[in-house]
Every structure is written in C-alpha cells, then in structure tokens.
Amino acid sequence: MVFDAPPAQSTAHAWMPSSPCGPGCIDPVDEIGTARVVGRLLGAAGLLVSFPIVNVVTPRGMREHLRRRYARTVLSCLEIRLRIVDNRVGCSADADRSAAAESRQARFAEPGKGLLIVAGHIGWTDVVVLAAVQPLGFVARADMLDWPLLGGLAKLMRVIPIERERLRELPDVVASLGDRLASGDRIAIFPEGTTWCGRAYGTMRPALFQAAVDTGTSVQPVRLRYLDSHGTQSTIPGFVGDDSFGTSAKRVLRSRGMVAEVVLEPVEYPGLDRRDLARRCEQAVRGADLSRHGAIEASDWIEATATRVQDPESADAQPQRPSRRLRPFRRRGAGHQVAVSTD
C-alpha cells in the first residue's frame, strides 16, 4: 500500500530550483520490527482513506478541529512526536528570546485571518507536520494532484498547483495565492522550490512573496527540523536525489520514533519589496545556521552529513539568467500590472 509518485520533470529553464542533496545525505535508518512497520502503515492508510468521508459528514464549523486532529493522529501512527516552540510569545525588541514558550496548542493565526507561512522543505511529512499545527493550504508541485491517494487529499486541501518547469505560468500562481490570502486563507509555501535534506538548504526564491506584498498579508516564518530518538537532527524524512514517494515513505515507516520540531518565529510584515521580505524570512528561518552558506568566506560548500555539496546559489554556481521578458499579470481589483520573475 505504499505508492510511488510520478518522477519530477527534468530542469526546463536556467532558474529551475534544484538540490544537490542525494543518498549520501540520508542518515542510516535505525529500523523497528516488521510488525510495528505494518501497524504504522495500516493505521496511516486507514486515516487517509477515511478522512474524505469523515470530513464531508462533519459540520463545517468543526472541520478545522477535525483536520488538525487527523494530522496529529497520522503523526502518532508514524510515531513522530510533534513539538511546537512559539518564539512569538512576549517577543519585543527588548524581550528575552529564551522565554519562548513550547506549546502543543500554538496555532499560526486566528481563524479567518490571512497568513503566508514560509518554511524550508525537507520531505512529504512537512505537509502533515504543518497541518498538525493548524490546517492550511499549500502551494505544491502540480503532479501531486495525480498521486494515488495523496492526490485526492491534495485536492481536498485546495492545493495551489505550481509547475516550476513553466516559468511563464508563475504570475498566475502568484495571483491565485494572492486571492486566497486576501480571502482570509492560511497558505504555506516552500520558497526554496525543492526539497533538501534538512542539514543543507537552498536560498528562498522571492517570487511567491509577491502575493504577500500585493495583499499586505503578514508572513509567518517557520523553522522546521526533525530529530531522532537521541535528539540529533535527522535527515531520514528527506525526499532527495532519486527518491520516489515509496522509498521515502518506507524510510519513515521503518525508522524509530522521531520528533518534528516546529519553531514559530516572530511574524514578518510584508513591506514593499519581495526580495527584502524573502531575505528577512530566510534569516528568521535559518537563524545562526544561515552562515552555512559561507561560514568561511572563500568557501562555497555546505556540509550535509557524509556528503559535501556545492551551494547552487554561490557565485560560481549561478546559472545564466534567462530573459526577464515575462508576461505581466494584473491582480484582480488592482489598477497596475506587476511582472514576476523567480528572483
């Protein structure tokens, strides 16, 4: 009952997001017994199959609570413990950040308040983890809608599909994202544009941040990481290299209990410049780890477990910029046009 997703399409343009993370980044799996693996699989599959039916028969006002409970139960079936650290509590210019609170009851925002959630992307479990904090929509790869079982759930979650191979469709994605934010939806984006192992990471691309700038929507930076049973950062959930959904799911199903840590950093106001907003959010999400892009000034390398990978955002690795002659798009209800590129 573990399904393989269709492989991602090959790079179609010079700015197509890519990650050098591969099998060498993934930690050895401390495997559990077969009986527990089967139990996890049956439990998670049962929840995924039953969710669309239960969601339909649940009164609309109770569906958000239901979806949050379902996401947390899926994590419990996978024996992934959720830890939420809320650094927004009591934060001010002079506040002591060490007073940040850990709370399983923390949420992204009040219901009906539009919010853009920004996080680094490690693997498919990210979606479940973020939904366990509070139900939300996602901008996700378009072919996810065709995945067995998970595709139906993606449609139910009103995923905004994006085909990163088709750069000219990006303005429409930004417009759809802006419409959803303006209507009061919470939407999560993964601005790196692809998955990384969790120890290495890419630069956050500014394009999708334009939706927050256009609508004046606040942005919630989220620091997401996975820890193993010893409290060490784990790369097992990473969906990297030649991974299919099946091989990634098998690793997660077989691994000993992990902790998914979600750190809610202080909210960022959108401002007027998507590039500045992207930089601020990246700083908030990466914190002290931001130096991995160049802790040694002459170095363009990121350490990733047993593998050293070149940072694709370094000067030597920058691709030739394509023409910026992208078709402009008009935000509905706006009196001006905005052309969007990936930077």
Side-chain angles (χ1 to χ4, degrees):
M1 295 185 67
V2 177
F3 303 103
D4 281 352
Q9 298 297 315
S10 59
T11 299
H13 55 79
W15 280 102
M16 178 74 177
S18 62
S19 165
C21 292
C25 298
I26 303 300
D27 299 325
V29 179
D30 184 10
E31 295 190 0
I32 61 174
T34 302
R36 284 176 66 185
V37 172
V38 173
R40 288 181 180 183
L41 176 59
L42 293 177
L47 288 167
L48 293 175
V49 169
S50 65
F51 174 72
I53 300 172
V54 177
N55 184 72
V56 168
V57 301
T58 299
R60 187 176 298 275
M62 299 177 61
R63 287 179 182 174
E64 180 166 314
H65 176 71
L66 171 75
R67 292 170 182 175
R68 189 185 194 211
R69 288 291 301 272
Y70 251 85
R72 293 192 174 201
T73 306
V74 169
L75 292 180
S76 295
C77 285
L78 298 175
E79 297 184 44
I80 298 177
R81 187 164 65 88
L82 177 66
R83 175 190 297 163
I84 305 173
V85 180
D86 193 347
N87 280 344
R88 304 168 302 179
V89 177
C91 283
S92 67
D94 301 319
D96 183 356
R97 294 293 294 276
S98 65
E102 178 180 343
S103 172
R104 284 179 58 84
Q105 301 308 314
R107 288 173 166 80
F108 295 122
E110 294 299 319
K113 180 180 180 181
L115 186 69
L116 184 67
I117 294 94
V118 174
H121 202 8
I122 300 169
W124 57 272
T125 53
D126 301 348
V127 174
V128 183
V129 170
L130 293 178
V133 178
Q134 189 177 15
L136 69 172
F138 292 87
V139 175
R141 48 187 282 185
D143 62 351
M144 179 183 287
L145 299 176
D146 299 324
W147 290 11
L149 192 60
L150 291 179
L153 291 176
K155 293 174 184 176
L156 194 62
M157 295 170 66
R158 297 174 62 207
V159 162
I160 299 174
I162 182 170
E163 295 188 61
R164 296 187 182 275
E165 312 86 41
R166 299 182 180 181
L167 195 59
R168 290 186 178 277
E169 293 186 3
L170 185 56
D172 291 335
V173 175
V174 174
S176 296
L177 176 57
D179 289 342
R180 293 278 294 276
L181 293 174
S183 68
D185 283 0
R186 295 177 302 274
I187 307 292
I189 62 172
F190 302 109
E192 292 164 304
T194 188
T195 50
W196 290 67
C197 68
R199 291 196 180 105
Y201 48 80
T203 295
M204 291 189 174
R205 307 297 180 96
L208 293 179
F209 287 91
Q210 185 66 41
V213 172
D214 286 345
T215 58
T217 302
S218 296
V219 182
Q220 173 64 72
V222 173
R223 194 178 303 185
L224 174 62
R225 65 175 184 162
Y226 297 91
L227 307 175
D228 63 20
S229 56
H230 305 291
T232 303
Q233 188 170 353
S234 173
T235 60
I236 287 174
F239 189 81
V240 295
D242 295 328
D243 270 344
S244 66
F245 175 72
T247 56
S248 175
K250 288 174 185 176
R251 274 201 310 271
V252 173
L253 287 167
R254 291 174 177 172
S255 65
R256 293 196 179 276
M258 289 183 292
V259 175
E261 183 179 77
V262 177
V263 181
L264 306 179
E265 298 295 352
V267 170
E268 297 285 342
Y269 294 100
L272 300 175
D273 184 344
R274 66 174 180 267
R275 295 174 183 83
D276 174 67
L277 178 58
R279 284 192 293 268
R280 285 187 279 126
C281 288
E282 184 169 356
Q283 177 68 59
V285 169
R286 301 306 176 197
D289 290 340
L290 193 65
S291 62
R292 287 187 182 177
H293 279 295
I296 302 174
E297 292 295 326
S299 174
D300 289 324
W301 296 86
I302 300 173
E303 296 293 338
T305 317
T307 300
R308 231 164 50 117
V309 296
Q310 189 171 16
D311 181 356
E313 299 300 330
S314 69
D316 292 339
Q318 287 284 5
Q320 183 67 35
R321 287 177 179 262
S323 171
R324 289 177 176 269
R325 294 177 182 175
L326 301 180
R327 63 184 179 87
F329 71 97
R330 184 180 295 277
R331 292 278 303 118
R332 292 179 194 138
H336 62 281
Q337 292 183 330
V338 181
V340 175
S341 68
T342 56
D343 62 341

